[in-house]
Structure formats: C-alpha cells, structure tokens
Amino acid sequence: MTEQHSQQPAHRFERGTDGPKVILVGVDGSEPSLRAAAYAGGLARRQHALLAVVYVQPVLAAGAALGVPVAETTDEIARDLVAQIREATERTRGIFDVRWEFHTFLGDPYGGLVKAADQLKADAVVVGASEQAGHRIVGSVAVRLVKAGRWPVTVVP
C-alpha cells in the first residue's frame, strides 16, 4: 500500500484565485463614476464580492490658502455620495443585495485609488472614463491605473 502526502504551503494572500473577493470602484459624483459604480455593483453581486466604493478627497492647499472652504466642500461631496449609494441600495433591497463599504482617501485621484486598492486588497478596480479633454494628452486616472498593471481595471464610459 502506498501513502501519498501533499505538503500544503502556509496560506498567504493571493489575488483572484477563486474569483474576486473585493471589487473597488472609484466615485467622484460625475456621471461616468456613477455608471462605474452601477457596473461594479453588478459585478460584485454576481461574484458575491464586497463592493468597496472609494471617494478620493482632494487635498488642495492652495485653495485653502485663498480662503476657499475646500475641506467642507469635499466632505459634503462624500456625504452626498454615501446618501446616493444608500438610496440606490434601499431601492434594490431584496432584488439585488450587494455587500458594500464606503471609504474616503485623501490625495490625488490616481494616488488615492492605488492606496485604496492596496489597503483593501482589491482584486479588481472599476472607474469611469474621464470627461476631460486634456486627459487624452496627459493621461487619465484610468490609463494610469491600467499602466500600473497591478489589478484588472475596467473603464466604464
């Protein structure tokens, strides 16, 4: 009789082995970001994954120096986004149940999303396409995320 043993290596975190566990979506209140949130919500529902909704709150020291109430404005945007998400969740309760969390990170959109994806151990990132014409030349957040090559990135028009 032959005995076979397999040595199992110690468990360590590995992205995407059994389908996504965390799908991150970047939102800023724009139409493309809200479409991206809806798309990511559908993915999360079908994959039984956690939807991590991330708002990157800009840090605008120059605006604050000029007396512009930047922190209050960006806090208000974050509160409004959470309210919109909760409202959408309530409308679809019992039809489309999705586990979700809302996170706010400080910084520029690209850096904030990278930090969020790393900290939340995102398996996939979903963002809306940029509406700004200048991003075709300089590069949008979506293009920069794709070029980083660290997660599958879906860009929703």
Side-chain angles (χ1 to χ4, degrees):
M1 181 176 264
T2 306
E3 283 188 51
Q4 293 184 355
H5 296 280
S6 64
Q7 289 287 0
Q8 294 281 336
H11 181 72
R12 63 187 183 104
F13 176 74
E14 183 178 356
R15 282 193 173 100
T17 55
D18 296 321
K21 300 292 182 219
V22 178
I23 296 173
L24 183 145
V25 61
V27 295
D28 62 8
S30 67
E31 284 299 316
S33 80
L34 297 177
R35 285 191 298 269
Y39 181 84
L43 288 176
R45 179 183 56 80
R46 288 186 296 278
Q47 297 290 331
H48 306 287
L50 172 68
L51 178 63
V53 181
V54 175
Y55 169 62
V56 180
Q57 188 171 7
V59 179
L60 302 172
L66 297 172
V68 178
V70 175
E72 289 177 21
T73 302
T74 56
D75 286 345
E76 185 178 315
I77 292 169
R79 284 191 300 274
D80 184 50
L81 289 170
V82 170
Q84 287 180 45
I85 294 164
R86 283 198 175 117
E87 181 183 310
T89 302
E90 283 303 314
R91 279 195 317 262
T92 61
R93 186 173 303 284
I95 302 168
F96 301 115
D97 288 328
V98 176
R99 292 180 306 123
W100 64 277
E101 299 174 349
F102 183 85
H103 300 271
T104 301
F105 285 79
L106 296 175
D108 68 284
Y110 171 76
L113 289 175
V114 167
K115 183 177 179 181
D118 285 343
Q119 284 186 11
L120 300 171
K121 294 183 173 41
D123 295 298
V125 177
V126 180
V127 293
S130 175
E131 294 180 312
Q132 298 179 7
H135 285 171
R136 292 187 189 116
I137 299 165
V138 177
S140 67
V141 171
V143 169
R144 292 174 66 195
L145 288 167
V146 169
K147 286 183 178 181
R150 295 167 59 185
W151 321 268
V153 178
T154 302
V155 182
V156 178

